[in-house]
Amino acid sequence: MTTAQPRSTWRHVVDGSSELGDFLKSRRAALRPEDVGIAPHPTRRRVTGLRREELATLSHVSITHYTRLEQGRSTGASDSTLEAIARTLRLTDDETAHLKALARPAGRSRPAPPRVAHVSASARQLLGAMTHVPAVVMDRRNDVLAWNQLGHALLAAHLPAESPDSPATRPNLTRMLFLDERYRDLYPNWDEQAQLAVAALRLTAGRHPDDRALAELVGRLSMNSDEFAARWARHPVRTCTSGVKVLRHPLVGTVELSFENLVIPGTSGQRLIAYTAEPGSPSETALRLLGSATAPAAPGHVVPMLQ
């Protein structure tokens, strides 16, 4: 179930002035005092997790300096200060990089109108040559800029094959994961995929705080999906450049595919994602069947029936 949220709510979600404080507070709340060697107090604590002064003391940072940092009023924190805080909070590498991006935004300026992204001719040629490998080209917001025949058949056969060609109709895989039932149904482990998608989008938002189109995407998702809004509020941060996806395809059944994110040099974050199956596996057979079933039929050619 989804509910519309006030416009100001989603603007706050992507407001850089509050992102740093919200992120630090979420990580403070996740740590119990005993996790960092602080003896439990005999009286009931009024806050969940670490207090500001406890975190500052453990990180060897002045309470005043840390408070200003959490309130977004300090943009000159050194690497050593941020790394000390990250160690105390037990942040991952991705979370530490996110903390630094939020604490020291580079050249923040007024959000500019989104530029229309285009796929180079060479990238399209590469996609077309990958006849047995599902592949898509996406921008940093997860808008699909192009896909090959098998990539379209695997991920979004219910959409027109030409939909990535126009900015007005381009699919966005994160939006589809939360708002498109047929795409959502592809993932038997939807919760895991949703968490990873939000964590990756959080990381991108921290690196590109002036991306108006990205802010609008987060706003639309926050207003139209309670599931997205709840995950976004928890501030997950994680990058994912490779791994394994399990998909439950309506034509060929369950497939297990490895994927790789390959950054395209000379672009503003465009990347090619390719999916492969283990040689000789049922998933490889399923991909071959999918390719045969969805390929344009030549005159007199009979498409094999899928069982």
Side-chain angles (χ1 to χ4, degrees):
M1 179 179 178
T2 60
T3 57
Q5 299 179 14
R7 189 177 183 84
S8 59
T9 299
W10 70 258
R11 284 194 181 280
H12 173 76
V13 166
V14 293
D15 180 5
S17 64
S18 64
E19 280 288 279
L20 175 58
D22 289 346
F23 177 67
L24 287 169
K25 290 172 189 174
S26 73
R27 294 309 183 265
R28 278 201 292 117
L31 276 180
R32 299 175 302 172
E34 51 267 37
D35 292 335
V36 291
I38 298 177
H41 198 275
T43 61
R44 183 179 180 87
R45 292 172 63 92
R46 294 182 179 180
V47 297
T48 302
L50 293 183
R51 298 187 179 99
R52 281 180 181 171
E53 57 269 25
E54 291 170 338
L55 175 56
T57 300
L58 290 167
S59 304
H60 303 287
V61 176
S62 77
I63 296 174
T64 299
H65 185 35
Y66 176 78
T67 300
R68 288 177 59 85
L69 186 67
E70 192 171 281
Q71 291 175 345
R73 297 188 292 119
S74 175
T75 58
S78 66
D79 273 346
S80 59
T81 294
L82 296 175
E83 287 166 2
I85 293 171
R87 285 193 297 272
T88 302
L89 292 174
R90 302 183 178 182
L91 301 187
T92 66
D93 289 345
D94 286 337
E95 290 171 332
T96 300
H98 186 62
L99 171 62
K100 291 180 178 180
L102 294 178
R104 295 185 307 217
R108 183 182 293 274
S109 59
R110 187 180 183 86
R115 294 183 178 181
V116 177
H118 298 283
V119 178
S120 68
S122 58
R124 288 187 182 277
Q125 184 175 337
L126 176 60
L127 277 178
M130 300 170 71
T131 54
H132 301 296
V133 176
V136 300
V137 172
M138 300 195 299
D139 65 12
R140 66 191 182 208
R141 309 175 196 99
N142 281 351
D143 285 341
V144 177
L145 306 180
W147 47 27
N148 62 8
Q149 176 265 320
L150 197 50
H152 170 240
L154 178 69
L155 298 177
H158 62 291
L159 299 179
E162 66 276 9
S163 56
D165 297 338
S166 168
T169 59
R170 278 177 180 164
N172 178 281
L173 295 191
T174 303
R175 183 177 65 240
M176 290 169 63
L177 190 64
F178 286 92
L179 302 180
D180 184 325
E181 288 297 332
R182 280 189 277 189
Y183 183 72
R184 178 179 178 133
D185 286 345
L186 281 177
Y187 294 96
N189 57 345
W190 183 87
D191 284 334
E192 178 183 337
Q193 294 299 318
Q195 186 69 6
L196 181 57
V198 174
L201 197 64
R202 266 281 182 193
L203 197 61
T204 301
R207 292 171 177 170
H208 303 279
D210 301 321
D211 188 329
R212 181 185 295 179
L214 179 58
E216 291 173 350
L217 171 64
V218 172
R220 285 194 297 270
L221 285 169
S222 297
M223 289 189 293
N224 291 288
S225 171
D226 290 340
E227 293 167 313
F228 176 88
R231 286 174 170 81
W232 185 263
R234 291 195 288 269
H235 290 257
V237 177
R238 182 182 169 190
T239 187
C240 188
T241 57
S242 62
V244 175
K245 286 188 183 292
V246 177
L247 292 88
R248 185 174 48 212
H249 197 276
L251 286 182
V252 296
T254 300
V255 292
E256 183 174 304
L257 304 174
S258 299
F259 69 91
E260 291 286 341
N261 271 284
L262 308 174
V263 176
I264 301 176
T267 67
S268 298
Q270 291 184 20
R271 62 199 193 281
L272 185 148
I273 302 180
Y275 301 84
T276 58
E278 184 179 349
S281 68
S283 294
E284 184 186 47
T285 301
L287 280 187
R288 285 202 302 267
L289 286 173
L290 182 61
S292 298
T294 58
H301 176 71
V302 178
V303 176
M305 295 293 292
L306 298 178
Q307 301 296 324

